Amino acid sequence: MASLEDIERFTSDSMNDSRKIYATMVSIMDEGIGKVADALKERGMMGNTILVFTSDNGARFSSQGSNFPLRGGKGSFLEGGVRGVAFVNSPLFQKTGYTNTNLHHVTDWYATFQTLAGDNPEVHGKVQLPIDGVDIWRSISNNTPCREEVLLNLRDSSKYFNLSTPDAVNVSAVIETINVTESENCF
């Protein structure tokens, strides 16, 4: 929890209490990230570092969050619930100084870090279950699109459909995806 001194330092009187605490936490996190980046620079490690800060969903309305102009929020499948922001910084990027609008999913980070770390399960015989994410390094380092759709939800249809009815068409799952065409922006 944020101290009262920090809350006073980072907020204004026009904010309600929960927004003051949230703004303070974000500000303190920002200071901490700066300290980590400074330490990496001092130790000569920044040249081989990728800093990633990301969210896994949109803002929550009950905490006075806003996803405007998008509809929906945390817990919904509308754009305001599934779009999130990310900050990625690295001297390893081939292209810099732009806003990446390619389609990514939070699960893509595992596949990307696994590839960047040189981990290849087949080479060392490590058993790995299939993963949902894809390697997005080319997308974030030089703005090359990496995927056209994202699985948003997969649920057991037996909980939602009576499969014994004549209308049932042997449905084993309901799959909700976002399909992206070239004319749509993802982020």
Side-chain angles (χ1 to χ4, degrees):
M1 185 64 120
S3 71
L4 290 175
E5 294 80 27
D6 285 333
I7 292 172
E8 291 296 320
R9 185 168 64 129
F10 291 114
T11 62
S12 70
D13 290 336
S14 64
M15 300 170 92
N16 68 33
D17 287 343
S18 12
R19 294 307 289 174
K20 286 181 181 182
I21 292 169
Y22 182 74
T24 303
M25 290 188 304
V26 169
S27 298
I28 291 171
M29 185 180 83
D30 183 54
E31 287 181 350
I33 293 164
K35 290 176 183 177
V36 169
D38 289 343
L40 289 167
K41 288 175 192 170
E42 288 171 16
R43 289 166 179 78
M45 299 169 68
M46 192 58 126
N48 194 27
T49 296
I50 304 162
L51 294 175
V52 177
F53 297 92
T54 186
S55 65
D56 62 348
N57 50 251
R60 183 199 268 168
F61 296 131
S62 63
S63 299
Q64 289 82 38
S66 174
N67 299 308
F68 183 81
L70 304 176
R71 292 182 306 143
K74 182 176 181 172
S76 81
F77 290 119
L78 297 171
E79 286 183 277
V82 298
R83 283 191 182 194
V85 296
F87 170 81
V88 185
N89 181 287
S90 177
L92 303 173
F93 287 157
Q94 295 172 6
K95 181 178 180 178
T96 60
Y98 73 100
T99 299
N100 188 308
T101 60
N102 294 319
L103 180 63
H104 303 127
H105 189 271
V106 70
T107 60
D108 295 335
W109 290 116
Y110 179 81
T112 304
F113 293 144
Q114 184 176 34
T115 300
L116 290 171
D119 183 25
N120 187 346
E122 294 82 31
V123 171
H124 49 75
K126 180 175 76 174
V127 177
Q128 176 175 307
L129 295 173
I131 59 176
D132 296 323
V134 299
D135 179 358
I136 58 172
W137 179 249
R138 288 185 327 138
S139 176
I140 61 175
S141 71
N142 69 6
N143 201 23
T144 303
C146 59
R147 57 161 68 230
E148 294 179 2
E149 66 182 20
V150 170
L151 176 67
L152 290 180
N153 191 24
L154 177 64
R155 59 185 176 215
D156 180 355
S157 64
S158 64
K159 295 177 185 172
Y160 302 97
F161 301 106
N162 180 352
L163 297 178
S164 63
T165 65
D167 312 322
V169 185
N170 199 10
V171 177
S172 61
V174 174
I175 300 175
E176 300 170 29
T177 62
I178 292 179
N179 291 307
V180 180
T181 64
E182 287 183 24
S183 64
E184 297 174 313
N185 285 334
C186 310
F187 287 88

